Amino acid sequence: MKNFSELNALEAVTLYQSMNLDEVANDIIKNNENSNLDSVQWPWNREPKAWEHSSYAFGFVPENDSSDQNLSIYEARSISADESLKNSQVTISLDYLRAYDYPGKGKHRVLFKFSAKNYVNESSEQAFSFNQTFAIEEGQRAPISGYPIFVGLTTGNQLLQFDVEMVNVSNDNDDKLLEALENGVVKNGITLINSINPILPVLTEYATGITKLIASRNRNREITAPKMGLYFGKTPSHLKIAKGLYIALQISDPGNFDWSQWKYDRNFGTIRSKDGVHSDLPYNYFAFSISEMNK
């Protein structure tokens, strides 16, 4: 499946019409009246929608035990990796998921697929995935806080690999399927032990199959699928691993986004602009935290 930025204007119009988003399709047509649609590339001569961006900016708020209300946000490539997390077990939690602007209006049901690698020991690793669904009103955040994704994930000595895939579900029959999934076996993340778990490949195959099925329906659409490697070491281009909150911001040009102009307000759990203009980031984003398990 192509992401939005890979479609030409004709493909985009066809896609949006199949999703019953005629207003969005007509906007593309209007802005390309004198052009061959199949020769016009994204963003199709108009401002891109928030869900069409294919890149990410990654911010980081370090673990902090002070009483400060406002905390600084740093570019996640610029921080120093926490070497104490090598070969240790960590917990990854989903703290925020914001649908600032998704295809359609009203309440969105979002299928969120989590994937990671568990580095059991120096010679063994195990990849796995599982799904969860969230209901989010347009322009708001999912009603979650500190939702456990992986408990006891082993980092290894080089990196932590962590991927996500989000699908906006618009098909009523798929809504019913996802309601059944919400009552399934894996509802509160995956708890790992320091050995190869034979049940994880089964869960992974199930999660992958469901995600492909849901994403393939005409009115459903993958919003984004970022792949993240959080590294030890000092390579400038790498995201670094440390204890704290990571903010993954869906945007077209992450190189021009300045995290220093934003702050994390811990009293309200919001990401605000320092100039007071924005009470929350005007983008789609999710945020996850990494904490070390008690030894």
Side-chain angles (χ1 to χ4, degrees):
M1 178 188 296
K2 291 183 179 180
N3 63 44
F4 291 100
S5 64
E6 295 173 327
L7 302 175
N8 62 44
L10 180 60
E11 291 171 325
V13 167
T14 303
L15 171 64
Y16 285 133
Q17 288 174 339
S18 73
M19 298 169 67
N20 292 340
L21 297 174
D22 292 334
E23 182 179 347
V24 182
N26 291 337
D27 183 52
I28 297 173
I29 295 173
K30 178 181 177 181
N31 283 282
N32 295 280
E33 289 180 332
N34 300 316
S35 302
N36 294 322
L37 292 180
D38 58 359
S39 66
V40 179
Q41 302 304 309
W42 184 86
W44 317 305
N45 294 323
R46 49 58 149 168
E47 285 295 317
K49 301 294 184 181
W51 70 76
E52 295 170 349
H53 302 307
S54 59
S55 299
Y56 268 82
F58 293 95
F60 179 73
V61 182
E63 188 177 69
N64 188 300
D65 59 2
S66 73
S67 59
D68 295 342
Q69 176 179 345
N70 296 312
L71 302 178
S72 297
I73 305 175
Y74 304 91
E75 161 59 47
R77 292 175 177 82
S78 70
I79 65 172
S80 297
D82 186 344
E83 299 288 332
S84 72
L85 292 178
K86 281 188 176 181
N87 300 305
S88 65
Q89 289 187 301
V90 298
T91 294
I92 299 181
S93 302
L94 182 65
D95 293 290
Y96 304 110
L97 173 57
R98 188 181 192 206
Y100 170 72
D101 186 14
Y102 273 20
K105 299 297 179 182
K107 180 173 287 188
H108 300 279
R109 185 180 292 277
V110 180
L111 174 63
F112 204 119
K113 178 186 172 188
F114 308 90
S115 301
K117 284 188 177 180
N118 191 39
Y119 296 91
V120 180
N121 53 53
E122 291 185 1
S123 60
S124 299
E125 63 182 50
Q126 187 173 29
F128 55 92
S129 303
F130 85 100
N131 291 329
Q132 188 52 270
T133 64
F134 302 100
I136 315 174
E137 289 287 348
E138 176 80 2
Q140 299 183 14
R141 299 191 301 196
I144 55 173
S145 179
Y147 183 91
I149 305 173
F150 306 120
V151 179
L153 183 67
T154 303
T155 61
N157 59 15
Q158 292 187 350
L159 79 159
L160 172 65
Q161 187 171 327
F162 176 53
D163 305 341
V164 305
E165 184 175 354
M166 284 180 278
V167 178
N168 185 59
V169 181
S170 301
N171 185 296
D172 293 339
N173 290 330
D174 291 334
D175 266 343
K176 295 176 183 178
L177 171 61
L178 294 183
E179 286 174 4
L181 286 180
E182 289 175 353
N183 297 318
V185 176
V186 182
K187 293 184 291 186
N188 294 304
I190 291 181
T191 299
L192 299 152
I193 55 177
N194 199 26
S195 63
I196 295 293
N197 189 333
I199 197 64
L200 291 183
V202 178
L203 292 175
T204 297
E205 184 176 358
Y206 177 72
T208 300
I210 289 295
T211 303
K212 287 182 178 179
L213 172 65
I214 296 297
S216 66
R217 308 295 181 92
N218 277 347
R219 294 180 59 199
N220 301 335
R221 187 66 189 180
E222 180 181 273
I223 295 298
T224 186
K227 299 181 181 298
M228 294 161 283
L230 306 180
Y231 285 83
F232 299 103
K234 300 179 180 180
T235 303
S237 60
H238 286 173
L239 301 173
K240 310 303 191 300
I241 181 171
K243 289 172 282 190
L245 178 71
Y246 288 84
I247 305 161
L249 185 72
Q250 189 176 2
I251 193 170
S252 289
D253 190 2
N256 284 328
F257 188 83
D258 187 359
W259 287 106
S260 70
Q261 300 304 307
W262 298 81
K263 61 185 179 181
Y264 177 69
D265 186 330
R266 70 193 312 172
N267 284 5
F268 296 96
T270 54
I271 302 165
R272 301 172 179 267
S273 60
K274 290 184 177 179
D275 61 12
V277 173
H278 297 286
S279 59
D280 202 348
L281 287 162
Y283 301 93
N284 296 329
Y285 71 86
F286 65 94
F288 61 94
S289 58
I290 296 178
S291 58
E292 190 172 17
M293 294 190 67
N294 295 329
K295 297 181 178 179

